[in-house]
Amino acid sequence: AASRLIADTTPPQRLKTDDVWRRARLAVEANRPRAAQQAVTMVAPEAVQQFNDISASPARFLTNKVAAFRKVRQEMISLALIKLAASDIDNAARLLDDKWGPQLSAEERDWVWGVIGKQAAQRLSTDALAYYGHVSRDANLTDDMLAWKARAALRTPQSPQWPTVLQTINAMSDEARADSTWVYWKARALLARGGDERKAEATRLLQSIAS
């Protein structure tokens, strides 16, 4: 889904502004600066130089900025934090928590925390779930972020955190939830939670992928 959105060639007049900003975020996360710049140009051509500054040094951009009250500035801050998270997870998390978080919208803040959590999970960091814990609504995360959250919950040192696994899979889109991998792990999570109704649902799910 993310790759389709980045590559989408729909004319800008047919895209909502928020959709274009999401395209820019996905492109930055995927290290596709040209696609991100094109998205920024669609909705905020005056911010292209700021985007170039972010590409050159997201840490310096975030250090220089004082406030993020306007929508464009908030989105540029989000892009900078996403870019920084690719190389310095801890610094991105610190800047988001200490400085920028309160100045972003809940949706922007959740998205950036989702990126940070995903980056940590991909590095097998034990801090991944703590980063995801800052997210207020899983609905604000992409399926890819949710998949990595579920993996992080399955890999906890003591034992899988089954309630988190179940909650995270349930937050995925219908398409993602239908993937046999997540059907299987949802069934396992239901069985771990116990109860006749959960056991019956788990059995049904496992039967659906038995072939």
Side-chain angles (χ1 to χ4, degrees), residues 111-138:
W111 187 296
V112 178
W113 277 121
V115 171
I116 292 171
K118 173 187 166 182
Q119 292 284 355
Q122 289 179 328
R123 290 164 172 74
L124 306 183
S125 170
T126 55
D127 293 328
L129 283 183
Y131 291 140
Y132 276 117
H134 290 277
V135 174
S136 61
R137 294 183 68 241
D138 279 346

Side-chain angles (χ1 to χ4, degrees), residues 6 20-33 36 40 51 54-55 57-59 61-62 74-93 95-96 100 104 107-120 122-123 140-142 145:
I6 295 172
V20 180
W21 281 119
R22 282 191 283 271
R23 174 188 288 186
R25 296 179 203 167
L26 288 167
V28 170
E29 185 183 348
N31 194 28
R32 296 182 62 179
V40 171
F51 176 79
I54 289 170
S55 297
S57 177
F61 179 88
L62 291 164
Q74 288 174 313
E75 288 289 355
M76 299 308 290
I77 293 299
S78 298
L79 293 180
L81 288 165
I82 292 168
K83 175 72 173 177
L84 181 61
S87 59
D88 192 344
I89 297 172
D90 291 340
N91 196 25
L95 286 169
L96 178 57
W100 296 114
L104 301 181
E107 187 271 338
E108 290 164 340
R109 188 165 54 249
D110 283 352
W111 187 296
V112 178
W113 277 121
V115 171
I116 292 171
K118 173 187 166 182
Q119 292 284 355
Q122 289 179 328
R123 290 164 172 74
N140 288 330
L141 304 184
T142 65
M145 296 174 196

Side-chain angles (χ1 to χ4, degrees), residues 11-66:
Q13 62 270 24
R14 294 178 57 188
L15 283 171
K16 294 181 180 179
T17 299
D18 286 346
D19 291 334
V20 180
W21 281 119
R22 282 191 283 271
R23 174 188 288 186
R25 296 179 203 167
L26 288 167
V28 170
E29 185 183 348
N31 194 28
R32 296 182 62 179
R34 180 172 296 183
Q37 187 183 65
Q38 289 172 346
V40 171
T41 302
M42 284 184 190
V43 288
E46 75 280 5
V48 170
Q49 182 54 55
Q50 290 185 30
F51 176 79
N52 292 336
D53 293 342
I54 289 170
S55 297
S57 177
R60 183 165 61 246
F61 179 88
L62 291 164
T63 301
N64 291 341
K65 292 298 171 185
V66 176

